[in-house]
Amino acid sequence: MKAFDTFFAGGVAVPCDGESTYPVTSPVTGEIIGQVRYSSADNVDLAVEKARAGYRAWKSSSVVERKRCLREIAASLQARTAEIAQSLADEIGCPTFLGEAMQVGMAIKGLELAADGIDQIDWEERVGNGLVQKVGIGVVAALTPWNFPLHQIVAKIAPVIAAGCAVVLKPSEVTPTAARIFAECVHASSLPDGVFNLVWGGREVGEKLTSHPGVDHVSFTGSTLVGMAIMTSAAQGMKRVTLELGGKSAAVILDDADLDQAIPNVVRMSLANSGQTCVSQSRIIVPQDRFTEIVERYLAEAKSWRMGDPAVAGVKLGPVATKRQYLRIREMIDHAKASGAEVKEAFEVDAALSAGFYIPPTLVTNVDAHSEIAQQEVFGPVVCVIPYKDEAEAITIANSSAYGLSGAVWSQDTARATRVAEQLETGQVIINGAAQNLATPFGGWKESGFGRENGKYGIEDLLTFRSIHGAA
Ligand code: NAD
């Protein structure tokens, strides 16, 4: 059993002396495979104190030093790819091929893009007699979730390093291994002690950290409800916030879409990581007269996704991450059924998998666009298919969500797809399955939050201005 009982402050691994612990549980077997001991309030104070010292040293670092550290960390992570992917299979049931390609691949790309982003920022400009400088905001409290744990850590820490800030990270207690490996890679790099610090904990430690007077900026990725609580608490200390929150993204299939291309892509965008991605396309908005065809083709494609032990080659669909998550998804499906929705599963879960938290790909039809299952984030392999009469209605349905994180449009006419994309109230839109460009800003509208991550945009999010009048 793995033990996570030291936190990181000022470059040193210090024993945690909090009283609470979290049992890290395998979603494949339901067995406990590790334990996280939480940091105490004093431990958090120490980590913040070290971060303040780290900030004082790092804020005047050169761009060359910043880029070198980012690239060193990327190289160390690359060397540990297989180990990280295995831990994500063990702790959240993410298939290892996906862990290697996306979970680790996106993290490495994120570090490289932050290094590139440093050169894309005008750090100083002259305005008359004024010297306008862009400077790191200070100490950042970074709080991350479990679904893409390494990528989300990098999305917060890479800009911290690039902007000349310092950080105390509180990673998700559900996926501690990726966070610890990341900390080890940072410590093996030439980043000075104190710039990166890490505490373990759940809600209470998160609250202690986000309300700490030594913190200048809170960067949170997680659920909208927790994001709202963090924003309220940050207001008391006048801290800036970056909030990357939930989503209910829509794939809008226009009447001229090529379904041979669209269906496999939409299935992938809704089932990858068992639907536990913030950009999961959990609503498919389809022309009324192609509704039956699309439902049948989705189910046939989803049926080809092999479900099983995520560490086994060829498995595309693992269990959902936690028992809590499993019960919540089941409850939402049952509630939808009780409200009159039709629920179709692509296949039955094999009896041999009954110890794990497995949920088959599930299509929900005959559902009102304003009902719970079509509005709330399920965070599982569950998709609503909603028909529309005309293009205007498709856009209205897509925008009827309180969230605004991502979306997709499918049409053989790219100009038409672009016009529709421009009417979607979301932070990003993918046309015809285009590759997601990680150098572009990532973030939400509406209840999906605000602030941006990735490349130079993530760095700018952590900068503030200093104007010096009459400077040399
Ligand atoms: P969560 O909101 O329950 O927890 C996220 C983190 O916040 C964890 O580290 C948790 O310990 C901590 N936390 C919980 N309550 C807190 C409080 N009151 N104060 C401070 N910290 C607190 O989210 P989760 O279940 O870990 O992750 C799933 C959610 O994350 C989904 O809603 C998903 O959409 C969202 N998400 C968003 C993005 C994005 O970029 N927009 C990316 C990934 C996941």
Side-chain angles (χ1 to χ4, degrees):
M1 197 159 91
K2 285 185 185 171
F4 302 85
D5 50 14
T6 54
F7 70 108
F8 297 91
V12 179
V14 184
C16 290
D17 55 17
E19 279 170 13
S20 307
T21 56
Y22 178 85
V24 183
T25 306
S26 160
V28 178
T29 62
E31 284 164 13
I32 295 174
I33 53 173
Q35 178 176 277
V36 180
R37 176 160 296 282
Y38 287 176
S39 302
S40 65
D42 286 351
N43 295 163
V44 175
D45 286 339
L46 178 68
V48 175
E49 185 193 316
K50 296 293 180 187
R52 290 234 66 90
Y55 170 60
R56 284 194 292 277
W58 189 241
K59 66 182 176 181
S60 47
S61 58
S62 70
V63 295
V64 174
E65 287 172 278
R66 296 179 191 185
K67 284 194 279 190
R68 186 176 62 227
C69 291
L70 290 164
R71 294 197 169 118
E72 286 170 355
I73 297 167
S76 300
L77 284 177
Q78 178 99 58
R80 297 183 72 173
T81 298
E83 193 188 341
I84 297 167
Q86 180 63 50
S87 81
L88 297 176
D90 295 343
E91 292 170 10
I92 52 164
C94 176
T96 41
F97 85 91
L98 190 69
E100 289 183 8
M102 280 190 77
Q103 301 260 17
V104 183
M106 282 165 67
I108 290 168
K109 189 81 188 155
L111 286 154
E112 287 164 357
L113 288 170
D116 295 347
I118 290 176
D119 290 334
Q120 294 157 10
I121 291 172
D122 294 324
W123 292 90
E124 279 191 359
E125 73 175 309
R126 289 270 172 186
V127 181
N129 75 337
L131 174 65
V132 180
Q133 299 177 324
K134 289 183 186 166
V135 292
I137 182 75
V139 171
V140 178
L143 296 99
T144 51
W146 46 262
N147 61 326
F148 275 75
L150 184 65
H151 161 65
Q152 284 140 356
I153 287 171
V154 165
K156 306 223 174 287
I157 310 303
V160 159
I161 295 171
C165 293
V167 67
V168 179
L169 168 69
K170 193 206 80 61
S172 170
E173 58 278 27
V174 178
T175 45
T177 303
R180 184 159 68 187
I181 291 176
F182 180 82
E184 289 165 0
C185 292
V186 170
H187 286 147
S189 78
S190 41
L191 192 74
D193 293 345
V195 179
F196 171 83
N197 307 275
L198 179 153
V199 293
W200 296 114
R203 186 174 58 81
E204 274 181 32
V205 174
E207 283 171 350
K208 163 84 182 162
L209 181 60
T210 54
S211 59
H212 200 290
V215 165
D216 302 293
H217 185 115
V218 180
S219 183
F220 170 78
T221 298
S223 59
T224 294
L225 274 181
V226 174
M228 287 172 177
I230 284 176
M231 195 169 163
T232 307
S233 127
Q236 307 312 309
M238 202 51 77
K239 301 180 200 318
R240 297 196 336 188
V241 288
T242 300
L243 298 172
E244 301 284 357
L245 309 177
K248 192 76 188 176
S249 301
V252 178
I253 300 185
L254 296 177
D255 51 14
D256 65 341
D258 176 352
L259 293 186
D260 289 340
Q261 269 190 28
I263 298 297
N265 189 282
V266 172
V267 168
R268 185 166 61 76
M269 292 302 290
S270 54
L271 296 187
N273 210 29
S274 297
Q276 300 163 121
T277 68
C278 52
V279 294
S280 179
Q281 291 171 10
S282 52
R283 295 181 297 150
I284 313 180
I285 303 187
V286 306
Q288 210 163 39
D289 56 3
R290 299 187 83 179
F291 176 83
T292 308
E293 182 191 2
I294 289 173
V295 167
E296 282 168 4
R297 289 180 73 154
Y298 184 101
L299 287 170
E301 176 70 22
K303 205 171 176 170
S304 74
W305 276 52
R306 187 172 151 209
M307 176 175 259
D309 182 335
V312 171
V315 165
K316 281 177 90 174
L317 204 54
V320 296
T322 61
K323 186 161 191 187
R324 178 167 163 247
Q325 187 71 5
Y326 175 85
L327 295 173
R328 190 175 158 272
I329 296 168
R330 282 265 163 246
E331 192 185 332
M332 287 184 83
I333 295 172
D334 289 346
H335 201 237
K337 271 189 205 162
S339 314
E342 222 175 290
V343 172
K344 296 187 178 82
E345 296 182 344
F347 51 77
E348 266 181 42
V349 175
D350 195 318
L353 301 175
S354 61
F357 310 141
Y358 288 91
I359 295 191
T362 304
L363 266 197
V364 183
T365 57
N366 195 24
V367 64
D368 186 89
H370 299 282
S371 62
E372 180 196 67
I373 195 89
Q375 285 289 324
Q376 302 286 316
E377 185 178 45
V378 180
F379 227 52
V382 180
V383 171
C384 295
V385 188
I386 305 170
Y388 66 82
K389 284 192 282 300
D390 55 28
E391 193 178 291
E393 193 188 17
I395 294 164
T396 304
I397 295 171
N399 287 337
S400 67
S401 169
Y403 293 110
L405 191 56
S406 188
V409 182
W410 288 88
S411 165
Q412 295 195 52
D413 176 348
T414 316
R416 180 183 177 207
T418 307
R419 278 199 305 277
V420 172
E422 284 169 353
Q423 294 181 70
L424 298 186
E425 294 160 359
T426 60
Q428 42 271 309
V429 186
I430 300 163
I431 292 179
N432 292 332
Q436 288 184 67
N437 180 346
L438 290 176
T440 62
F442 180 84
W445 290 19
K446 304 195 279 185
E447 290 189 13
S448 292
F450 49 79
R452 289 296 181 265
E453 292 185 330
N454 286 357
K456 74 162 182 169
Y457 302 96
I459 304 170
E460 284 172 340
D461 209 52
L462 298 182
L463 299 178
T464 188
F465 293 103
R466 181 197 290 124
S467 300
I468 304 179
H469 308 274

